[in-house]
Amino acid sequence: MLRWPYTFAVCLSAIVGATAIWASQHYDVPMRDPDGFLGPAYIRLPLIAVLFFAVGIVPSAIRNVGIRHCLAEIRRIWREEWNWRRVGNILAGLISFYICYVSYRNLKSDLPQVRSHRYDKELLDLDNWMSFGHDPARLLHDFLGTSFSAQVLSVIYVAYLPLIPLTLGAFLVWGKDMSLGAWYATALSLNWVLGVMSYYSLPTLGPAFYEPQRFLDLPDTSAAQLQRSLFRAAGRFYQDPSGGSTYGIAGFASLHVSVVVSACLFLRATRQKRAIQIIGWVYLGLVVLATVYFGWHYIADVFAGAFIGWAAVVIGAWATGNTKWQKRRRLVEVSAAAGAAETAPHGDPTPGQVPAERSR
C-alpha cells in the first residue's frame, strides 16, 4: 500500500461498491444516484474534476502574470507542475470517495429491508439521563431561543453538504504531497463505510423523526425543510421500495459530526494554518449544537460520530503511510535549524545559542 497511497481507498471502494450492488439485487431495491438531480455521475464527476483543475491553475496564473498573459502562464504551469500521474491520483481520490458515498447512501436506503427494530426509546432515555432528567433539545431551545438561533444553526448544518467535497477538492488539487490528499480522501471514504456499519448495528430514527411533536415550535428553516423531504421520501419508500424514492433516515451515529471531526483532526495533524484550524473546531462545535437542536441525533450519536471520525483519520494515516508524517516533519524542521546554525558566523551565535566560552 505504501507504493501507492490510494491502494486502500480503491480496494475499500471496490468492496463497499460490490456490497451495495449485492444488497440491491438481494432486496430488490434498485441502485440510485442520491444526487442525480445534478445530472448523471459520468457527467458530474468530470465536471467537478475540471472545476478543481481550473481553480488550482487559473488563480495562480493570474497572480503571476496578470489576466492579459494568463493563457501562456497556464500552459507553463501545466507543463511544469502537472503530469498524468498527478491527474490520475486526483481522479483516484475523487472516484473512490464518490463510490463510497453512493454505496453508503444506497446501503442506508436498504436499512428498513434488513432491520425493522429501532432503538430510539433506549437512546431517548439515555439522553434524558445524561441531561439530568431533561430533554437536551428543549434545553437548547430555551437557552438559545427559536428564532434567530434556529436560522443560523440551520445554515451551519446544511452548509456541511457542499463544504466537505470542496475541502476534498482543495487538498487533492492544491496539495503538492500526494500522500496527504490520499490520507484525507481515505479518511472521508472510511466515514461513509463506518457510518453505514453503525446504522446497521444500532438502527434509530433520531429524535425529530421518532417524536416530531417535540420540535413543532421551531420556525421553518432549510433544516426543517430537509427533514420534511426525508419524511416524505421515507413514506414513499415504505409504500414501494422499488420505486423512485430513497430512504435516508438514520440516527446512530452522526455522520455530520464524524466527517467534521475527521476534517478537524486532519487539519491539526497536517499543521495547517492556525486560523483554519480554529475555524474548523468552531464549525464542529456549531454542528454539534445544530444536530441536537433540530433533533437530528441523540447525544450518544454525537459521541459515536466523534469516535468514527477519529478512527477514520487514524486508519487513513496507516493506510496511506502517514503514521509518521509528523515525526518526519519535525526531523525536517530540526535539520533546517541545524543547517542554519552551521551557516551562521562563528562570532555571532544564533538567537538562543550560548557561546562555548560563556557557557563554561
Side-chain angles (χ1 to χ4, degrees):
M1 285 188 296
L2 298 183
R3 291 188 177 183
W4 191 48
Y6 284 100
T7 302
F8 181 89
V10 170
C11 292
L12 179 69
S13 63
I15 293 172
V16 72
T19 303
I21 294 173
W22 173 86
S24 172
Q25 296 177 347
H26 182 76
Y27 295 105
D28 196 23
V29 178
M31 289 280 291
R32 301 182 181 94
D33 184 353
D35 301 320
F37 63 92
L38 296 176
Y42 61 84
I43 293 178
R44 186 168 66 252
L45 273 180
L47 286 178
I48 292 175
V50 170
L51 175 63
F52 286 145
F53 292 150
V55 172
I57 295 177
V58 175
S60 178
I62 295 176
R63 186 172 57 251
N64 291 343
V65 299
I67 297 179
R68 293 182 59 185
H69 306 287
C70 68
L71 291 179
E73 183 67 9
I74 289 173
R75 289 194 293 268
R76 186 195 66 79
I77 294 175
W78 176 264
R79 289 194 304 269
E80 295 181 1
E81 299 184 10
W82 292 79
N83 51 48
W84 288 113
R85 180 170 177 265
R86 184 176 179 182
V87 173
N89 287 319
I90 293 172
L91 292 177
L94 288 174
I95 293 173
S96 59
F97 167 85
Y98 186 78
I99 291 176
C100 287
Y101 173 71
V102 171
S103 301
Y104 148 79
R105 289 290 300 272
N106 280 273
L107 288 170
K108 182 180 181 180
S109 186
D110 296 333
L111 182 59
Q113 305 288 95
V114 184
R115 301 292 304 273
S116 58
H117 183 72
R118 299 289 182 268
Y119 294 88
D120 287 271
K121 185 181 184 305
E122 291 81 357
L123 290 188
L124 185 61
D125 292 340
L126 180 60
D127 260 13
N128 292 333
W129 178 80
M130 296 177 70
S131 302
F132 304 99
H134 298 283
D135 176 8
R138 176 61 60 182
L139 290 177
L140 290 178
H141 296 171
D142 294 339
F143 180 71
L144 298 175
T146 57
S147 56
F148 179 74
S149 298
Q151 301 294 339
V152 172
L153 290 176
S154 175
V155 173
I156 293 295
Y157 193 85
V158 176
Y160 158 94
L161 300 175
L163 278 178
I164 297 305
L166 288 176
T167 59
L168 174 63
F171 279 110
L172 288 178
V173 175
W174 296 338
K176 298 298 178 66
D177 189 336
M178 179 182 67
S179 68
L180 294 187
W183 181 6
Y184 192 53
T186 302
L188 293 182
S189 300
L190 278 166
N191 271 277
W192 308 131
V193 177
L194 296 176
V196 78
M197 291 172 63
S198 69
Y199 293 160
Y200 279 82
S201 64
L202 194 68
T204 62
L205 298 174
F209 301 98
Y210 181 65
E211 292 185 347
Q213 67 275 9
R214 295 163 51 201
F215 301 89
L216 294 178
D217 58 336
L218 294 179
D220 189 27
T221 62
S222 54
Q225 294 170 9
L226 179 58
Q227 288 176 340
R228 289 197 298 270
S229 68
L230 290 174
F231 260 122
R232 292 191 295 267
R236 292 192 297 268
F237 180 87
Y238 277 115
Q239 292 177 0
D240 182 14
S242 62
S245 294
T246 300
Y247 182 85
I249 300 175
F252 186 88
S254 172
L255 267 286
H256 267 64
V257 172
S258 75
V259 171
V260 179
V261 165
S262 287
C264 290
L265 292 177
F266 179 81
L267 292 175
R268 182 177 181 274
T270 55
R271 299 183 183 180
Q272 303 299 317
K273 293 181 179 179
R274 178 171 291 274
I276 296 177
Q277 293 187 45
I278 292 175
I279 291 173
W281 290 111
V282 170
Y283 181 72
L284 172 62
L286 293 174
V287 166
V288 171
L289 282 178
T291 198
V292 177
Y293 182 94
F294 291 109
W296 288 101
H297 296 284
Y298 301 102
I299 296 178
D301 302 344
V302 173
F303 285 108
F307 174 78
I308 288 175
W310 168 82
V313 171
V314 172
I315 298 173
W318 165 79
T320 57
N322 283 288
T323 52
K324 297 182 179 180
W325 187 87
Q326 288 180 298
K327 182 178 180 180
R328 293 200 307 269
R329 178 74 175 267
R330 286 195 294 269
L331 289 175
V332 170
E333 292 174 350
V334 170
S335 299
E342 290 177 359
T343 56
H346 294 290
D348 186 15
T350 56
Q353 182 181 6
V354 180
E357 293 81 1
R358 191 182 304 171
S359 63
R360 296 193 188 97

